[in-house]
Amino acid sequence: MGTLKTEPVRSRPDLLAPPVAAAVQAWPDEAPVDVDDVLVAPIDAELADTAAFCAAYEVELAESANCVVVAGKRGGEIRYAACVVLATTRADVNGVVRRLLDVRKASFAPMAEAVELSGMEYGGITPIGLPEDWPILVDSRVIATPHVIIGSGVRHSKIALPGPALGALPGAEVVDGLAKPA
């Protein structure tokens, strides 16, 4: 995990967006990954974007995951989903994601919408604590990664956790081929 100074996530709610802190506090005892295996580390908010973060904290792109919010319309209804992919890949938004959302066209949700609906900061959105009605689509490469670094809902920290934990989140669906190489 590079040079990150991690601590147990439950001990530092100040490093989490409110919906993320609430999800961590409600972490089920029967979850396949114990909440004590979920860590958080403070970072410089100016270095939150993936490439800058990885370079500054000596984290490999292959162990860094991104969460992007996607939106599509069907019958006048906007459907949202979160896509979790490794930083070495890009979500196949207009192929796989569009079909899974059952919409004619899918695209990244506008920044203001993603921030308002998630309760998280842009550039820090994480699948932990998202609205319950959003599917969380997790690329199979993410859960095959022993440990991944992902946003914490704010730009001044990152969460480190076992990759399989992301596939076990409520509403998560592991999808082969969700992402393509970047």
Side-chain angles (χ1 to χ4, degrees):
M1 289 186 273
T3 60
L4 291 174
K5 306 286 189 251
T6 59
E7 302 175 59
V9 72
R10 279 197 172 162
S11 70
R12 293 298 306 269
D14 59 304
L15 293 177
L16 307 171
V20 179
V24 165
Q25 290 307 316
W27 199 273
D29 291 335
E30 68 278 1
V33 174
D34 192 276
V35 71
D36 293 334
D37 292 333
V38 181
L39 307 172
V40 66
I43 65 164
D44 180 338
E46 297 297 315
L47 300 172
D49 294 330
T50 305
F53 162 76
C54 288
Y57 293 94
E58 300 174 21
V59 171
E60 297 292 324
L61 282 173
E63 57 187 359
S64 182
N66 292 319
C67 178
V68 294
V69 178
V70 177
K73 278 189 182 178
R74 177 70 171 217
E77 169 198 10
I78 299 175
R79 299 177 182 182
Y80 295 95
C83 299
V84 183
V85 300
L86 292 177
T88 55
T89 65
R90 292 184 334 226
D92 182 3
V93 174
N94 264 309
V96 175
V97 177
R98 179 187 59 77
R99 284 189 297 277
L100 289 170
L101 282 177
D102 191 26
V103 294
R104 294 182 84 199
K105 182 181 177 210
S107 59
F108 296 108
M111 178 179 62
E113 231 172 76
V115 167
E116 180 184 342
L117 296 173
S118 70
M120 300 179 200
E121 294 177 6
Y122 188 74
I125 294 176
T126 186
I128 302 168
L130 285 174
E132 289 180 16
D133 59 337
W134 289 11
I136 299 170
L137 307 175
V138 182
D139 187 69
S140 58
R141 287 172 272 223
V142 173
I143 66 156
T145 305
H147 281 89
V148 293
I149 311 297
I150 197 155
S152 62
V154 294
R155 291 182 61 85
H156 63 272
S157 67
K158 293 283 186 179
I159 289 176
L161 73 170
L166 295 168
L169 290 171
E173 177 183 347
V174 177
V175 180
D176 285 329
L178 178 66
K180 299 177 178 180

